[in-house]
RNA sequence: GGCGCGGUAGCCAAGUGGUAAGGCAGAGGUCUGCAAAACCUUUAUCCGCGGGUUCGAUUCCCGCCCGCGCCUCCA
């Protein structure tokens, strides 16, 4: 079965291949840098990381562009409250964003672009829309006239036909001709950051930055545009309107939206006290890999119920994976190659790949890997897993980790050096030989205090950092 | 109200028109100086509820109940 993704536009799972056959042009809506990323943001970004990695696994080149929204109402407000220029305020959170996403091992997009660096592109795009007769000005602001774009609503599958224009006009927004119209350019307000442009003094509306930057770097038709489900309407709907009304071409082939994350079955919100940033979780002592695993383990189109129980489960599951890898690498195996095991490995890889090809079904992919681990652990116990099978199993793990990326422990702390650990392991082996178990246990305890776990096996003692 | 997603074991969660993956937790066992790791057995006669289609439905259709999201700037 070929690679296929659910497309919000068609509401169907469709076969995917990049337009030009080799390079996938992806645009994802990045963070608004007014605060630290929370785990809901991270869920979306993690699913996009899985997407990236899977496209690469399937041999495609990537041109992935992500924007940084570094000007919007909240930023202006918060920066003012902090008494800082917006650039200074956003720089701090932009840096924090990359620190945090790096900790959960998100690959960097090929290109990251900031809204404030692309004001000219936005102004040009708005100008083009003006030439096409899609805009109007009111009180110094420029609006997009939805009536000029009949396809409006095709992404969110909203039918505005029966809705009377103006019926839902918000009393605060009488400056618009139609309630659905949205702002492209906001007139300057006293004391707010503004740009001097042919459109007048002001700042861009929210939606225009994505259209402008996406088309600037990826062309008029993108392969994939992704974001959280909440962006379907109005953000992405408006992006389509702006882009297609300007170029007359389809803006995006595949729209992919990540479902939201819940916390203990409830909406995550500050008022409920269940709002967590990544930093909150790390401070509580959870490993970033566990966060990554948990966020990646539920397929992106399903709401993910985040619980601390789940986070601990994730950490234990990672332990199982790492134990298995350690066992594979350290076990002395009988010579030879088992055809049965080889076939089992091939099958596991096929299942793993089929699962991810099927709209990134990470849960099923994990199932395939764990099932394989249990089977081969049994074979290892029974002596049927032979030296010749080791490479295949390690290769499978490597393939798995090229997507999930949880096998390597976070930071190797500055504790004991390998040589020191090995010397102590050797000393303990001698103590055990002389049945000096007190000394042996003493060494094990001492190492455990340093985060090193010892495991005695038939072939001797192996160790790992916890 | 409109549009959309979902309701599967203690928790998380996959899945199929033919009789329920996987992870975590629990119980018992094997192994072990101890411990860990690992394995074995066990934990849903049943997939929100009620109808219908079918030889057969958790999987398709209809209705209902419940949770969640969006409906103008929230990933």
């Amino acid at each position: 079965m070929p690679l296929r993704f659910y497309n919000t536009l068609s509401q169907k799972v469709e076969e995917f291949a990049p337009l030009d056959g080799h390079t996938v042009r992806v645009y994802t809506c990045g963070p608004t840098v007014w605060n630290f990323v929370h785990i809901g943001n991270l869920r979306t970004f993690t699913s996009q990381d899985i997407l990236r990695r899977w496209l690469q696994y399937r041999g495609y080149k990537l041109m992935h562009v992500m924007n940084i929204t570094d000007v919007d109402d909240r930023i202006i407000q918060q920066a003012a409250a902090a008494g800082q220029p917006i650039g200074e305020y956003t720089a701090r959170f932009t840096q924090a964003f990359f620190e945090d996403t790096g900790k959960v091992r998100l690959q960097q997009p090929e290109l990251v672009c900031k809204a404030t660096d692309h004001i000219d592109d936005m102004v040009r795009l708005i100008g083009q829309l003006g030439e096409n007769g899609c805009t109007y000005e009111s009180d110094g602001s420029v609006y997009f006239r939805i009536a000029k774009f009949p396809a409006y609503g095709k992404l969110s599958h909203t039918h505005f036909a029966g809705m009377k224009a103006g019926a839902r006009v918000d009393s605060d927004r009488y400056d618009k001709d139609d309630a659905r119209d949205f702002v492209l350019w906001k007139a300057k307000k006293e004391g707010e950051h503004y740009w001097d442009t042919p459109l007048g003094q002001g700042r861009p509306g929210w939606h225009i930055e994505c259209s402008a930057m996406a088309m600037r770097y990826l062309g008029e038709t993108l392969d994939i545009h992704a974001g959280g489900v909440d962006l379907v309407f109005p953000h992405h709907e408006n992006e389509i309107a702006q882009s297609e009304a300007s170029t007359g071409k389809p803006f995006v082939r595949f729209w992919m939206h990540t479902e939201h994350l819940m916390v203990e079955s409830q909406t995550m919100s500050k008022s409920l006290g269940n709002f967590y940033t990544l930093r909150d979780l790390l401070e509580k002592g959870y490993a970033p890999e566990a966060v990554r695993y948990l966020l990646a383990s539920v397929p992106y189109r399903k709401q993910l119920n985040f619980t601390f129980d789940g986070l601990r489960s994730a950490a234990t599951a990672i332990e199982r994976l790492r134990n298995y890898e350690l066992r594979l690498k350290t076990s002395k195996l009988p010579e030879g190659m088992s055809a049965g095991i080889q076939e089992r490995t091939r099958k596991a890889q096929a299942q793993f790949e089929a699962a991810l090809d099927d709209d990134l079904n990470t849960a099923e992919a994990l199932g395939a890997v764990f099932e394989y681990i249990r089977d081969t652990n049994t074979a290892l116990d029974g002596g049927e897993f032979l030296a010749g099978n080791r490479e295949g199993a390690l290769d499978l793990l490597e393939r798995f980790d090229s997507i999930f990326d949880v096998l390597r422990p976070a930071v190797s702390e500055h504790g004991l050096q390998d040589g020191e650990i090995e010397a102590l392991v050797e000393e303990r082996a001698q103590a055990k030989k002389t049945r000096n178990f007190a000394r042996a246990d003493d060494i094990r305890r001492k190492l455990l205090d340093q985060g090193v776990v010892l495991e005695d096996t038939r072939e001797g003692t192996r160790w790992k950092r916890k």
Side-chain angles (χ1 to χ4, degrees):
Chain A
M1 287 286 267
L3 177 58
R4 51 217 189 278
F5 298 134
Y6 181 86
N7 188 347
T8 308
L9 205 51
S10 64
Q11 299 179 293
K12 287 192 182 79
V13 175
E14 299 174 37
E15 248 181 66
F16 176 82
L19 205 52
D20 75 1
H22 50 86
T23 302
V24 183
R25 285 163 305 146
V26 185
Y27 184 90
T28 56
C29 289
T32 300
V33 282
W34 69 292
N35 207 337
F36 297 113
V37 278
H38 63 250
I39 55 176
N41 295 320
L42 229 40
R43 201 265 165 125
T44 297
F45 295 131
T46 301
S47 72
Q48 290 160 358
D49 185 63
I50 299 291
L51 169 66
R52 274 187 62 91
R53 289 168 184 253
W54 191 244
L55 288 168
Q56 292 172 93
Y57 184 104
R58 279 316 196 190
Y60 292 120
K61 293 253 180 301
L62 272 177
M63 179 55 193
H64 172 192
V65 175
M66 183 182 78
N67 67 303
I68 300 281
T69 299
D70 59 352
V71 54
D72 87 328
D73 291 343
R74 287 168 304 184
I75 288 171
I76 289 170
Q77 253 170 36
Q78 298 290 321
Q84 285 180 314
I86 64 169
E88 207 172 286
Y89 182 80
T90 57
R92 173 176 169 227
F93 288 108
T94 303
Q95 193 196 341
F97 175 79
F98 288 108
E99 280 171 23
D100 290 351
T101 54
K103 280 186 181 144
V104 291
R105 305 180 185 184
L106 303 192
Q107 293 183 346
Q108 290 251 12
E110 280 63 35
L111 185 84
V112 174
C113 49
K114 295 197 280 186
T116 54
D117 289 341
H118 295 77
I119 302 295
D120 289 349
D121 292 302
M122 298 184 224
V123 170
R124 243 191 317 274
L125 180 56
I126 295 169
Q128 179 64 51
L129 288 169
E131 282 176 32
N132 296 1
C134 299
T135 66
Y136 61 92
E137 191 244 306
S138 168
D139 270 342
S141 291
V142 181
Y143 294 90
F144 186 94
R145 194 185 296 284
I146 292 291
K148 291 286 186 184
F149 190 71
Y152 195 75
K154 68 178 175 178
L155 180 68
S156 53
H157 303 98
T158 313
H159 306 290
F160 295 96
M163 201 184 267
K164 276 189 184 161
R168 289 189 63 235
V169 171
D170 187 324
S171 57
D172 295 336
R173 297 180 185 267
Y174 51 82
D175 48 352
K176 294 193 287 186
D177 288 357
D178 183 311
R180 298 170 298 155
D181 292 345
F182 56 92
V183 69
L184 296 164
W185 185 260
K186 292 183 167 188
K188 171 192 170 189
K189 274 193 206 151
E190 210 37 57
E192 279 187 5
H193 194 96
Y194 69 93
W195 283 264
D196 239 326
T197 76
L199 297 170
Q201 296 183 333
R203 61 189 173 93
W206 174 37
H207 315 295
I208 197 70
E209 64 174 270
C210 289
S211 291
M213 294 191 283
M215 291 200 288
R216 158 148 200 176
Y217 296 112
L218 297 171
E220 294 177 335
T221 301
L222 329 183
D223 287 309
I224 297 175
H225 188 134
V229 279
D230 54 303
L231 296 183
V232 173
F233 189 90
H235 184 54
H236 290 162
E237 198 72 76
N238 291 352
E239 280 189 50
I240 290 174
Q242 293 163 343
S243 307
E244 299 190 355
S246 111
T247 67
K249 295 184 182 146
F251 177 44
V252 169
R253 299 174 59 229
F254 281 74
W255 285 95
M256 297 177 71
H257 293 99
T258 304
E259 258 299 342
H260 274 187
L261 164 152
M262 312 292 291
V263 174
E264 310 279 357
S265 302
Q266 287 187 298
T267 306
M268 179 168 81
S269 75
K270 282 183 176 156
S271 59
L272 286 170
N274 64 357
F275 181 96
Y276 301 106
T277 62
L278 177 67
R279 291 173 184 229
D280 292 334
L281 299 181
L282 300 185
E283 269 169 35
K284 287 174 188 285
Y286 295 100
E289 308 97 279
V291 177
R292 177 179 171 87
Y293 182 99
L294 179 59
L295 296 180
S297 65
V298 178
Y300 76 97
R301 282 207 295 133
K302 184 167 170 159
Q303 282 181 359
L304 183 157
N305 189 17
F306 177 93
T307 64
F308 284 95
D309 220 36
L311 195 49
R312 284 184 288 271
S313 296
T316 313
I318 292 170
E319 274 303 294
R320 180 164 165 82
L321 291 161
R322 290 179 181 168
N323 284 333
Y324 176 73
E325 186 189 33
L326 186 66
R327 182 176 193 188
L328 275 183
K329 284 182 170 165
T330 59
S331 293
K332 290 197 178 72
L333 300 173
E335 285 309 306
M337 153 96 80
S338 156
I341 298 292
Q342 201 180 8
E343 174 55 21
R344 182 68 189 83
T345 306
R346 196 202 57 73
K347 184 183 149 204
Q349 185 180 326
Q351 289 175 330
F352 177 77
E353 293 174 351
L356 290 168
D357 275 346
D358 182 13
D359 198 26
L360 306 173
N361 192 335
T362 47
E364 198 175 331
L366 285 170
V369 170
F370 279 106
E371 222 176 327
Y372 174 77
I373 289 178
R374 182 176 24 73
D375 286 353
T376 49
N377 261 326
T378 303
L380 282 158
D381 283 354
E384 297 132 28
F385 189 105
L386 307 180
N389 300 116
R390 192 193 318 253
E391 198 184 332
L394 284 171
D395 176 66
L396 178 67
L397 272 189
E398 204 172 298
R399 287 169 184 275
F400 156 79
D401 211 42
S402 73
I403 307 302
F404 285 88
D405 202 355
V406 293
L407 286 178
R408 308 169 70 99
V411 263
S412 58
E413 53 276 44
H414 304 286
L416 295 169
Q417 300 299 304
D418 289 9
E420 299 175 84
I421 295 167
E422 272 148 26
L424 284 164
V425 168
E426 180 51 33
E427 189 191 333
R428 176 167 167 276
Q430 292 307 318
K432 275 176 57 174
K433 256 185 198 153
T434 59
R435 302 192 67 77
N436 183 357
F437 294 123
R439 176 62 188 150
D441 289 348
D442 188 50
I443 290 171
R444 174 154 59 200
R445 216 172 301 119
K446 189 180 283 173
L447 282 170
L448 186 61
D449 288 344
Q450 303 280 333
V452 176
V453 179
L454 300 188
E455 294 175 3
D456 292 335
T457 73
R458 233 170 277 165
E459 300 118 26
T461 301
R462 66 183 182 209
W463 61 270
K464 62 186 180 189
R465 289 197 171 85
K466 201 170 166 60

